[in-house]
Amino acid sequence: MRLARPHPHPAASASPLGRVQGRLSGRVGLAVLGLMVGLVVVGPARAALPSADAVFFQEASECTAGFKARVVQHLKQAPSEARNQAILKDTEHGFVFIGVAYKKGLRNPEADQMLKAAEGRWSQLSTAQQASRLNRCTQQADQLMAEVSGLERFLVRNRAQARVDKLLAKEQRPAKP
């Protein structure tokens, strides 16, 4: 493919300055073409990079899996008010991640698939790694709770309380023979 060069004015092509202008316009055309090819080649690679939302969705699934696992651990402990408050706090932390991810556009079935995969990865972590990770997740969840609106905070707390009430009610039912 040849790039068309603008035809300089006939008088300009006779002068040395006219020839320089012709060469420059050809080089500028090649530079523009090179830039366009670069964008075409780099564009798909750039699209393959995870977006900020995708990174957050991954983080949300990892943290939610951790909080969910900790709730299961708390449920194995003897019932107490402190244990129930810890269950509620972990549930709220998980729900704030879920709520913000939903607000950013994450939907099922992808959300469930991400959580299931995160639960599998979580179970492979050592106890020390889980504790360290949960510490960071707790800080992030507290920050997210501070950033959401009052209505969103109310919804997170309300849904978390409903979930905990349901979990604790199951615990109080007598075991079936």
Side-chain angles (χ1 to χ4, degrees), residues 16-91:
L17 183 58
R19 284 188 293 250
V20 170
Q21 285 177 328
R23 286 186 191 140
L24 283 178
S25 65
R27 288 183 182 151
V28 170
L30 286 175
V32 169
L33 178 64
L35 180 61
M36 290 173 61
V37 168
L39 290 174
V40 169
V41 171
V42 173
R46 191 176 183 102
L49 294 175
S51 69
D53 286 345
V55 170
F56 177 78
F57 296 159
Q58 187 67 35
E59 185 75 14
S61 65
E62 299 288 333
C63 289
T64 301
F67 289 125
K68 187 176 175 183
R70 193 156 68 178
V71 166
V72 169
Q73 288 174 343
H74 287 310
L75 286 170
K76 293 176 183 175
Q77 298 170 349
S80 71
E81 187 58 31
R83 177 202 76 153
N84 293 349
Q85 286 303 313
I87 291 171
L88 178 60
K89 196 65 173 170
D90 285 341
T91 304

Side-chain angles (χ1 to χ4, degrees), residues 102-175:
Y102 183 84
K103 188 175 168 183
K104 290 179 178 258
L106 183 62
R107 300 291 187 273
N108 279 329
E110 184 182 9
D112 287 342
Q113 292 167 351
M114 289 181 76
L115 180 58
K116 185 175 175 119
E119 288 171 342
R121 288 188 300 275
W122 186 264
S123 66
Q124 301 301 313
L125 296 176
S126 71
T127 304
Q129 290 171 319
Q130 288 176 349
S132 172
R133 186 76 180 105
L134 272 174
N135 186 39
R136 286 193 314 267
C137 288
T138 299
Q139 291 171 358
Q140 288 176 282
D142 288 340
Q143 182 179 349
L144 288 173
M145 281 293 270
E147 293 172 355
V148 298
S149 72
L151 175 62
E152 292 166 330
R153 195 173 305 114
F154 169 78
L155 291 172
V156 165
R157 288 185 173 144
N158 182 285
R159 293 292 71 217
Q161 185 65 60
R163 173 66 62 90
V164 170
D165 289 346
K166 191 174 180 179
L167 287 172
L168 296 179
K170 282 183 184 179
E171 186 179 65
Q172 295 173 357
R173 289 186 207 144

